[in-house]
Amino acid sequence: MNLSRISLYHLRMPLVSPFETSFGRSETRDCVLVEAQADGPSGFGECPADADPGYSYETCDTAWHILRDFLIPAVLDQNLESAGELQNRMSMVRGHLMAKAGLEMAFWDLMGKSQGRSLGELIGSSHQRVDVGVSVGIQSSPQALVEVVEGYVTQGYRRIKIKIKPGREVQETTAVRRRFPEMRLQVDANSAYSLENASMLKGLDELGLLLIEQPLAEDDLWDHSRLQEQLKTPICLDESILSARHARQALEMGACRVINIKMGRVGGLSEAIAIHNLCYARDVPVWCGGMLETGVGRAANLALAGLPGFTLPGDISATERYYREDITQEQFFLNADSTITAPSGPGLGVTVDREILRRYTLKELTVP
Ligand code: OSB
Ligand code: MG
């Protein structure tokens, strides 16, 4: 495959409701959409860096810089037969995994379209209906949180994740647990605790949670292993896992018992599959995380989450949970059994609506 032209779009999309985590509150979601052209129809990829470096050091502006000045020049007009060859061309850039992931996703979409096969077929997904849940942001009070959760349960979500931060965890999670004693429930701290104040998390250990996601700093595998020793509830790592090597080391250290896989965070779909394969071979449950993606990134997440090792519900919700209007013609709906069906068309199986895309584009660049 010869990539002859690549375009970047910095998008800012209004969320249907503000999303608050331990690292901040947002009413909009930014991303960099990558469009790659070979012979036939173009391929799209989503780089999920946001406007601010709250979840990761990458932002849309750093991704833009790295894509424009380094990654695009390295991959244009090369004869690339596989995503592995694309990654080789990008390997002179250290880090900047979300920038690389956006470009790799566009490459996969192109490959699928040129072969007339869906992304799920290309990577060997075993099922098209993917078990999903919803990630609920920090609310004004435990009561307000219970009401928001009730709304999602009414819509049919059977797995709920609650965002927590120090002082806003035990009462909140207990209130939801009392209201829904049987619900599949988990929490996500986004690195807000340290080993010193992690005793606050002990109050969660009797609530029958599926997992506690990323309680400590992203660069702190060792302290996660010490905390895991003190908890019955499995720790799940998100921010800490940037590669299959990290995943192996975290498991061998006992730093976690579950892994959240996000292709954006780990540099692309190939590395996400490598982490899945490692965990599958070791019987370690994984699930597909989300980053409030548009329909483009959501389609890729659904294909990934169709691999057989994804035994826990993913953070992949229906379009209407995120956006009133999405950039893809396809919308995603929740099935009655709390699943979402992965698209079956070639590549990502979604079509970008040019007019809607224009509405949310802050800036745009085409090379050459
Ligand atoms: O930590 O999982 C996270 C959203 C943005 C950045 C980080 C995270 C999240 C979510 C939302 O939890 C998951 C979704 O896309 O529904
Ligand atoms: Mg997380």
Side-chain angles (χ1 to χ4, degrees), residues 171-294:
Q171 279 187 38
E172 283 74 6
T173 314
T174 305
V176 174
R177 175 48 90 211
R178 287 215 178 105
R179 176 69 184 78
F180 297 104
E182 306 294 330
M183 172 71 68
R184 286 188 285 180
L185 190 61
Q186 62 194 58
V187 297
D188 186 0
N190 287 109
S191 300
Y193 297 79
S194 62
L195 212 48
E196 286 69 40
N197 67 6
S199 55
M200 299 166 105
L201 298 170
K202 294 265 171 67
L204 301 177
D205 213 17
E206 307 297 328
L207 296 176
L209 303 180
L210 285 176
L211 54 91
I212 298 175
E213 185 177 344
Q214 195 69 41
L216 309 179
E218 71 275 12
D219 58 355
D220 211 345
L221 284 188
W222 177 250
D223 280 357
H224 275 108
S225 75
R226 296 184 56 192
L227 181 60
Q228 181 66 90
E229 281 176 356
Q230 303 166 34
L231 295 172
K232 288 183 292 191
T233 311
I235 289 178
C236 167
L237 291 176
D238 173 354
E239 285 90 326
S240 290
I241 306 298
L242 303 180
S243 66
R245 184 158 41 82
H246 284 161
R248 176 180 60 73
Q249 293 171 352
L251 292 170
E252 288 176 2
M253 235 187 257
C256 66
R257 296 184 192 145
V258 178
I259 290 176
N260 163 333
I261 302 182
K262 290 180 181 167
M263 66 185 90
R265 193 193 67 224
V266 304
L269 183 58
S270 328
E271 192 69 16
I273 294 169
I275 297 174
H276 160 271
N277 294 347
L278 171 100
C279 293
Y280 193 48
R282 296 179 181 216
D283 265 327
V284 172
V286 301
W287 55 284
C288 183
M291 301 195 60
L292 313 176
E293 286 88 348
T294 72

Side-chain angles (χ1 to χ4, degrees), residues 10-199:
H10 182 164
L11 308 185
R12 176 161 299 161
M13 312 255 301
L15 294 165
V16 292
S17 54
F19 189 62
E20 185 170 337
T21 65
S22 65
F23 58 83
R25 178 181 171 90
S26 26
E27 293 180 12
T28 53
R29 170 75 186 154
D30 286 25
C31 71
V32 176
L33 194 73
V34 180
E35 179 178 11
Q37 190 84 47
D39 296 333
S42 56
F44 284 93
E46 180 167 345
C47 161
D50 206 343
D52 313 302
Y55 169 81
S56 144
Y57 65 82
E58 290 187 83
T59 65
C60 285
D61 288 339
T62 70
W64 191 276
H65 160 53
I66 295 296
L67 281 159
R68 180 193 59 200
D69 297 333
F70 301 103
L71 299 177
I72 293 176
V75 306
L76 268 185
D77 290 321
Q78 304 290 320
N79 210 12
L80 302 171
E81 291 306 322
S82 65
E85 287 185 24
L86 179 84
Q87 286 290 346
N88 279 342
R89 296 290 311 168
M90 299 197 291
S91 63
M92 79 306 176
V93 171
R94 193 184 300 277
H96 298 282
L97 298 173
M98 291 183 181
K100 292 173 181 170
L103 194 47
E104 202 201 283
M105 194 191 296
F107 184 83
W108 280 104
D109 189 26
L110 273 178
M111 282 213 299
K113 283 172 171 157
S114 73
Q115 298 174 25
R117 297 167 76 202
S118 72
L119 186 54
E121 287 174 74
L122 286 183
I123 68 173
S125 292
S126 57
H127 51 283
Q128 227 181 318
R129 286 171 78 99
V130 172
D131 235 324
V132 302
V134 63
S135 172
V136 183
I138 296 170
Q139 305 294 320
S140 56
S141 66
Q143 187 48 40
L145 173 65
V146 169
E147 281 166 25
V148 172
V149 169
E150 276 172 346
Y152 286 123
V153 172
T154 305
Q155 288 170 34
Y157 290 101
R158 292 197 213 137
R159 188 283 262 155
I160 299 289
K161 163 168 137 181
I162 301 171
K163 291 289 193 179
I164 59 168
K165 65 179 180 181
R168 300 297 309 280
E169 69 292 271
V170 178
Q171 279 187 38
E172 283 74 6
T173 314
T174 305
V176 174
R177 175 48 90 211
R178 287 215 178 105
R179 176 69 184 78
F180 297 104
E182 306 294 330
M183 172 71 68
R184 286 188 285 180
L185 190 61
Q186 62 194 58
V187 297
D188 186 0
N190 287 109
S191 300
Y193 297 79
S194 62
L195 212 48
E196 286 69 40
N197 67 6
S199 55

